[in-house]
């Protein structure tokens, strides 16, 4: 970024909170259909053998709310059972709250709403992420469709394996190629194959 500089956004900056408020209000007003669409899409992903890492609560908004201000704790809400429509029950806090009160409160994003908010504030050509980010981004097409946004391209981030001099020496002694070191569970077989009298959990 030397030629262009690097832009860093603080999600608790008051100006950014205000810029994000319409997105949180829209997501709150449409909480039930948005969560239903995300749940249906998640079931389709699971049926195809794909992970669904982010839990979606039926009918719940995709935002956290800060009843004590930005410097206070944040809480999720779910529809309050048996209460009039537009009444929510706090998770991790006693009592209920109305939609109007939530809409006036500072809010912050959940994992599912954050990429959409980023894209609405700073239109995204490509999102670079690791396996975890790519997995939960697979959950998001219904959300982008609901906000009438095109999905950004998702690009795997660069990965590397760092082997210091001590580890490299030991690998040479064991005659183990680097490719055999993929994941802890996969290590036992190649190590035992080289017959070194290893303990049960090498």
């Amino acid at each position: 970024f030397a030629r262009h500089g690097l832009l860093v956004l603080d999600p608790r900056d008051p100006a950014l909170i205000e810029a994000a408020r319409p997105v949180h209000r829209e997501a709150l007003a449409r909480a039930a259909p948005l969560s239903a669409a995300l749940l249906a899409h998640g079931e389709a992903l699971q049926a195809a053998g794909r992970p669904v890492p982010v839990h979606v609560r039926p009918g719940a908004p995709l935002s956290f709310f800060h009843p004590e201000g930005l410097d206070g704790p944040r809480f999720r809400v779910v529809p309050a059972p048996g209460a009039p429509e537009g009444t929510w029950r706090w998770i991790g806090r006693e009592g209920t709250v109305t939609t109007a009160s939530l809409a006036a409160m500072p809010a912050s994003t959940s994992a599912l709403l954050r990429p959409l908010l980023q894209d609405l504030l700073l239109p995204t050509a490509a999102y670079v992420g690791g396996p975890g980010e790519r997995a939960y981004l697979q959950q998001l097409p219904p959300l982008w469709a609901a906000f009438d946004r095109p999905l950004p391209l998702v690009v795997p981030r660069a990965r590397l394996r760092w082997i210091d001099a001590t580890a490299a020496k030991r690998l040479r002694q064991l005659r183990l190629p680097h490719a055999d070191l993929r994941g802890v569970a996969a290590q036992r077989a190649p190590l035992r194959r080289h017959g070194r009298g290893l303990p049960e959990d090498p």
Side-chain angles (χ1 to χ4, degrees):
F1 298 100
R3 292 176 55 196
H4 308 289
L6 181 64
L7 180 64
V8 180
L9 295 182
D10 179 357
R12 289 178 179 254
D13 184 282
L16 192 61
I17 293 291
E18 284 305 310
R21 193 180 294 276
V23 179
H24 288 289
R25 285 177 174 165
E26 182 75 10
L28 174 62
R30 300 167 64 188
L34 287 176
S35 66
L38 288 167
L39 286 166
H41 184 66
E43 291 174 0
L45 288 173
Q46 287 181 319
R50 296 181 180 177
V52 181
V54 181
H55 175 65
V56 177
R57 291 181 173 91
L62 299 173
S63 302
F64 289 93
F65 299 94
H66 301 249
E68 299 169 22
L70 280 177
D71 294 327
R74 64 183 195 165
F75 299 94
R76 296 289 296 268
V77 295
V78 293
E85 186 176 351
T87 305
W88 307 88
R89 177 177 61 83
W90 293 107
I91 297 175
R93 175 185 172 96
E94 293 297 322
T96 59
V97 63
T98 65
T99 298
S101 296
L102 288 176
M105 257 176 225
S108 54
T109 57
S110 64
L112 294 177
L113 190 60
R114 184 176 62 249
L116 175 66
L117 178 60
Q118 291 170 175
D119 198 31
L120 289 167
L121 295 176
L122 298 168
T124 306
Y127 186 103
V128 182
E133 290 98 350
R134 297 202 314 273
Y136 78 70
L137 286 169
Q138 288 183 359
Q139 292 182 245
L140 297 184
L143 198 53
W144 258 264
F147 279 79
D148 195 26
R149 298 290 300 180
L151 276 166
L153 182 66
V154 179
V155 181
R157 71 165 180 248
R159 295 174 22 168
L160 59 86
R161 180 183 295 116
W162 182 270
I163 300 174
D164 63 19
T166 302
K169 178 181 177 182
R170 187 65 177 140
L171 287 170
R172 286 194 298 272
Q173 290 172 344
L174 291 169
R175 298 187 298 279
L176 275 175
H178 299 169
D180 273 348
L181 303 179
R182 291 191 183 134
V184 174
Q187 288 176 12
R188 295 177 177 82
L191 287 169
R192 290 208 176 94
R193 192 165 61 242
H194 289 269
R196 297 287 170 177
L198 293 166
E200 184 61 28
D201 187 3

